Amino acid sequence: TIGILNMSAGQNGTVTPGTQTSNVSVLTTSGIIAQSSVGVFSFDLDTSGTVAGTAYDQLAVNGIVNLSGSPVLNVNLNFIPNTRGNSYTIISNDGSDAVIGTFNGQAEGSLVTVNSVSYRISYVGGTGNDVTLTCVGVITTNVLTSSDVDSLTQYGQSVTFTSTISALTGTVTRGTVTYFDQGVSIGQAPVVNGVANFTTTALNVNGSPHVITSIFVGQGIFGESNSNIIAQSVNKSTSSIAVTTNSQIYGTNLPLTITATVTPQYAGGSATGQVQFRIDGVEQPLQTISATVTDPPLPCLLR
């Protein structure tokens, strides 16, 4: 235990809890008053454990924590993390008094990156007034592209959305990407050698252009990342129609059923809309397409 750590403005010095016999330690102090922007607070993270003094350095402060001079934060990462979420309380602030100021360039919620691994800093962490570092992992990027280069698809046409996931440490070899249309999940795909592919034929003309995005949900030490936006337009496709009857015998007052089979241009899209039959040039009531459309049986004389 020591008294108040006082760094006057312009004072150049380094504070580290570690000792000559231990790489990590807990250093208890009666307070921190850091008015110097060139002073350094250095902390070692040795393992993914949660015990201060064993897994990582900590300053235990029984008094004020004043970082108003914006001192420099230095973090030494002495192991290779393989999971995200571990949190380290590097300054344990007693009582309920808030931390005053921040480390140089490290606002609340900003990232501290060491050896390509990023940690999110908080001055309201732990019990609400501690300084903590929480591992968010290796930062990734998520670049979304469409197989339809002009983003203009015909209804029922197959389109593939590809997410390329990259990280500072190299290729991302695992994880899952979730795909969204207007914020609603439409499917998932695994990441293989840094790439995930999702193919769909379910985009409708209604709602076009569709706002397509993806999220890499992260895996192990690789952090989550959001993609860019693709505006995927869908146009009406063409179709063909075949008309058949239930009988080859025609005559006055004989019931006759006429069936129209509508085949879309692309097999991925089912036909929608309505069909209007004309018998002897007379328009019949509109019939809504289901699997097939059948005009109700009626007696008629075909000419």
Side-chain angles (χ1 to χ4, degrees), residues 237-293:
S237 62
T238 61
S239 62
S240 60
I241 186 167
V243 178
T244 57
T245 64
N246 67 330
S247 175
Q248 298 300 315
I249 301 175
Y250 307 101
T252 303
N253 296 324
L254 289 179
L256 181 65
T257 299
I258 304 173
T259 300
T261 301
V262 181
T263 303
Q265 180 181 2
Y266 296 99
S270 57
T272 59
Q274 294 179 309
V275 171
Q276 186 168 58
F277 295 89
R278 289 186 178 89
I279 300 177
D280 292 338
V282 178
E283 292 184 349
Q284 305 300 309
L286 289 172
Q287 303 295 316
T288 300
I289 296 176
S290 54
T292 58
V293 174

Side-chain angles (χ1 to χ4, degrees), residues 88-104:
Y88 303 91
T89 302
I90 57 175
I91 298 180
S92 177
N93 188 11
D94 73 333
S96 60
D97 57 312
V99 174
I100 300 171
T102 66
F103 287 109
N104 195 343

Side-chain angles (χ1 to χ4, degrees), residues 41-54:
F41 285 79
S42 184
F43 298 89
D44 281 81
L45 308 181
D46 269 15
T47 73
S48 60
T50 58
V51 180
T54 301

Side-chain angles (χ1 to χ4, degrees), residues 68-142:
S68 59
S70 298
V72 176
L73 173 63
N74 180 66
V75 177
N76 300 307
L77 186 59
N78 302 323
F79 73 108
I80 301 176
N82 55 19
T83 58
R84 294 165 289 142
N86 293 327
S87 186
Y88 303 91
T89 302
I90 57 175
I91 298 180
S92 177
N93 188 11
D94 73 333
S96 60
D97 57 312
V99 174
I100 300 171
T102 66
F103 287 109
N104 195 343
Q106 301 295 162
E108 170 69 27
S110 63
L111 296 180
V112 179
T113 301
V114 188
N115 299 345
S116 299
V117 180
S118 293
Y119 294 82
R120 194 174 304 282
I121 192 168
S122 177
Y123 302 90
V124 291
T127 59
N129 64 340
D130 299 324
V131 181
T132 59
L133 295 173
T134 301
C135 182
V136 296
V138 175
I139 300 300
T140 61
T141 58
N142 178 358

Side-chain angles (χ1 to χ4, degrees), residues 172-186:
V172 177
T173 57
R174 52 185 175 165
T176 303
V177 174
T178 302
Y179 293 84
F180 299 87
D181 179 3
Q182 305 281 12
V184 178
S185 175
I186 56 174

